[in-house]
Amino acid sequence: MDLTLIVVLVIALALFFDFTNGFHDTANAMATPIATGALKPKTAVTLAALLNLVGAFLSTEVAKTISGGIIKEGDGGVLITPELIFAGLIGAIVWNMITWLLGLPSSSSHALFGGLIGAALVGFGVGAIDFGVLLSKVILPALLAPLTAGLIAYAATKLAYAITRRYDGKPDGRDRFRHAQIFSSSLVALAHGTNDAQKTMGVITLTLVAAGIQTADSDVQPWVIVTCAIAIALGTYMGGWRIIKTLGTGLTDVKPAQGFAAETATAATILASSHVGFALSTTQVASGSVIGSGLGRRGSKVRWRTAGRIGVGWLLTLPAAGAVGALAALVAHMGVVGIIIDTVVGVGVIVGIFLWSRRSEISHHNVVSEVADSGRAVKIKRNPKPKKKVKS
């Protein structure tokens, strides 16, 4: 197959992955403000889409980690071909679609890394992977970032409830955090754009380097930044209502003070990581923040069974996407016929999952009633009514 044609196919597939990343991760920023009523569903996703678009232009450090870090460079160039990148993207997209169907907030980032690693292992063996970069900029952030965000959210929640303590006969003022959530959730959406859109920029740049179109030390090209920003913004606008439902009913407490604390911790962690080039999972960070904020309020109880189910999804993401990517790479080795088979099967799986999802459709019309049940996720003891002071 002509090299130019395969490069075009890879870029198109990478942009579709960016689109799935957008609707897969909308819940990270918007599940909580939707649950508390701070923002209406369509308003929330529209705001998130615009801020994802802006955030994509703010940095390219994460893109450089992917395009010139995880996959080693050999004497003949980067140890992966456009055909193998195509196969890796299939692995990432298929896993994203499966977890979206299940309403499981898994990591789009790890799906991408898993797919690329699986394909590279098939094509060039273990030597193609720079495990030092993988450990320092992917694995360790995946372990530390949710914990860090959780601790920040825990402390922020404690502080929020301390400074708005209920006094006898006076309101506690915590409902004002509902308005503050508009700012904090917007900051998360902006941070998401600075981290996740760059991953697709890195994949496209990796493809251009592997095809010899640009050198490994070149910056990300402007057209790559623009197209990736638009793709993730469009995906975010689609809403990802299934995963919003899961975070709303499974982990997210609808109390505005806790939501504000969780979103602020999430945004701070993602922005700091983007600055140093850590390609972390925004989903893991958001979930860690929500758990931390749930633990930060006295009398609350986090629903650990749901957290455990999400954790299992995280553990499966890298190997599952890697397995699909490796299988697609084996087929791609057949040449033109293999690429055609991969394309047909991949499109068939995606369309099949979408049609299956229509059997129990979730949209902005019915997600609010589902998210409103989120009080079941974190059980809070009712505050006693303020006691009137007895005049002596």
Side-chain angles (χ1 to χ4, degrees):
M1 182 176 287
D2 181 73
L3 180 60
T4 303
L5 180 58
I6 186 62
V7 168
V8 171
L9 284 175
V10 172
I11 292 173
L13 196 63
L15 291 175
F16 182 72
F17 167 79
D18 207 22
F19 178 81
T20 67
N21 192 353
F23 70 71
H24 202 279
D25 290 1
T26 307
N28 296 346
M30 294 303 168
T32 303
I34 290 173
T36 61
L39 291 168
K40 294 182 178 180
K42 290 299 291 183
T43 302
V45 298
T46 301
L47 180 61
L50 291 173
L51 290 169
N52 265 275
L53 180 68
V54 174
F57 291 93
L58 298 183
S59 173
T60 57
E61 291 303 317
V62 174
K64 293 175 184 177
T65 296
I66 296 171
S67 63
I70 295 175
I71 307 298
K72 285 184 178 179
E73 299 174 22
D75 296 333
V78 175
L79 293 181
I80 196 169
T81 64
E83 291 83 358
L84 293 176
I85 297 174
F86 183 83
L89 284 169
I90 289 177
I93 291 171
V94 167
W95 183 252
N96 258 7
M97 293 298 293
I98 290 173
T99 51
W100 166 76
L101 178 66
L102 298 174
L104 187 65
S106 66
S107 170
S108 298
S109 309
H110 289 180
L112 176 61
F113 300 144
L116 291 176
I117 290 170
L121 289 174
V122 168
F124 294 94
V126 177
I129 311 301
D130 190 329
F131 288 98
V133 174
L134 180 64
L135 179 64
S136 63
K137 293 206 170 184
V138 178
I139 303 298
L140 287 180
L143 298 174
L144 296 178
L147 178 62
T148 302
L151 291 174
I152 295 173
Y154 175 85
T157 303
K158 286 287 189 184
L159 179 62
Y161 279 92
I163 63 177
T164 57
R165 185 177 179 182
R166 185 189 297 275
Y167 291 97
D168 291 347
K170 295 181 180 180
D172 58 19
R174 290 171 193 158
D175 192 60
R176 295 178 182 177
F177 280 105
R178 181 176 286 110
H179 305 294
Q181 277 190 280
I182 298 174
F183 169 76
S184 59
S185 61
S186 297
L187 194 58
V188 174
L190 183 72
H192 181 263
T194 67
N195 198 280
D196 279 46
Q198 291 186 57
K199 292 158 190 172
T200 306
M201 297 178 201
V203 171
I204 294 177
T205 301
L206 180 64
T207 303
L208 298 176
V209 172
I213 297 175
Q214 74 175 65
T215 60
D217 57 352
S218 300
D219 291 331
V220 180
Q221 296 187 29
W223 68 267
V224 175
I225 298 174
V226 172
T227 53
C228 289
I230 293 172
I232 198 168
L234 288 174
T236 303
Y237 182 73
M238 293 299 293
W241 305 111
R242 289 176 175 272
I243 299 176
I244 288 176
K245 173 187 172 182
T246 297
L247 283 181
T249 60
L251 287 176
T252 305
D253 181 17
V254 296
K255 299 296 183 181
Q258 288 179 260
F260 174 77
E263 291 152 10
T264 304
T266 298
T269 304
I270 296 172
L271 288 171
S273 299
S274 297
H275 180 69
V276 296
F278 288 160
L280 51 71
S281 165
T282 54
T283 303
Q284 292 180 355
V285 173
S287 300
S289 296
V290 170
I291 293 173
S293 68
L295 294 173
R297 177 171 179 171
R298 186 178 59 185
S300 65
K301 184 179 180 181
V302 174
R303 191 173 172 182
W304 291 109
R305 180 175 295 181
T306 302
R309 185 169 66 89
I310 294 173
V312 170
W314 293 350
L315 293 175
L316 291 177
T317 296
L318 268 171
V324 177
L327 181 61
L330 286 171
V331 176
H333 268 310
M334 298 168 59
V336 177
V337 175
I339 295 294
I340 293 174
I341 292 174
D342 274 346
T343 303
V344 172
V345 173
V347 170
V349 170
I350 292 168
V351 171
I353 290 173
F354 175 75
L355 293 176
W356 185 273
S357 73
R358 304 288 290 182
R359 299 175 64 178
S360 56
E361 187 177 7
I362 299 173
S363 69
H364 66 280
H365 296 295
N366 59 1
V367 74
V368 174
S369 60
E370 300 283 1
V371 173
D373 291 334
S374 60
R376 301 173 186 172
V378 182
K379 297 178 181 178
I380 309 292
K381 294 181 179 179
R382 291 181 179 274
N383 288 324
K385 293 182 179 180
K387 296 179 181 179
K388 294 182 178 180
K389 292 183 177 180
V390 180
K391 295 182 179 180
S392 55

